[in-house]
C-alpha cells in the first residue's frame, strides 16, 4: 500500500482526526487506519505525542481554573490545538 507516499496530504488528513483519537471518539476502523499510519510515520507519532501532552496540560489548567497561563504560552497552546483540529472547552 505504501509506495512513494504523498506524505504531507495523508498526514494532514489524519492529523485532523488526532484529537478525536485522543478523546477516544474516533470510529474503530478510522482508529485502526490512524494507528497503521502512525506505525510507519515518525512525524505523525511526534505530533500525536505533542498533541496528547498539550491537551493534557491544557485540560489541567482549565480544571484548575484560577491559574492563568502566560499569554505567550496560552496562544501557543491554542495554536497547537487548533492545528490538531481540537476545539478547547472555552471556545464553545
Ligand atoms: Zn504521517
Amino acid at each position: 500500500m505504501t509506495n512513494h507516499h504523498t506524505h504531507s496530504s495523508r498526514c494532514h488528513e489524519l492529523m485532523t482526526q488526532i484529537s478525536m483519537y485522543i478523546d477516544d471518539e474516533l470510529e474503530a476502523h478510522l482508529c485502526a487506519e490512524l494507528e497503521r499510519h502512525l506505525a510507519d510515520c515518525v512525524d505523525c507519532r511526534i505530533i500525536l505525542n505533542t498533541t496528547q501532552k498539550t491537551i493534557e496540560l491544557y485540560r489541567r489548567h482549565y480544571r484548575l481554573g484560577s491559574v492563568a497561563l502566560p499569554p505567550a504560552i496560552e496562544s501557543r497552546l491554542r495554536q497547537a490545538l487548533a492545528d490538531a483540529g481540537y476545539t478547547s472547552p472555552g471556545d464553545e
Side-chain angles (χ1 to χ4, degrees), residues 15-20 47 51 55 79-86:
M15 284 309 95
T16 63
Q17 301 172 347
I18 269 202
S19 62
M20 285 198 294
I47 292 171
T51 307
I55 289 175
Q79 190 54 52
L81 292 172
D83 287 349
Y86 189 83

Side-chain angles (χ1 to χ4, degrees), residues 7 10-12 14-15 37-38 40-45:
H7 200 79
R10 184 72 183 134
C11 289
H12 183 78
L14 289 169
M15 284 309 95
H37 178 82
L38 288 169
D40 60 25
C41 184
V42 180
D43 288 346
C44 286
R45 276 208 300 277

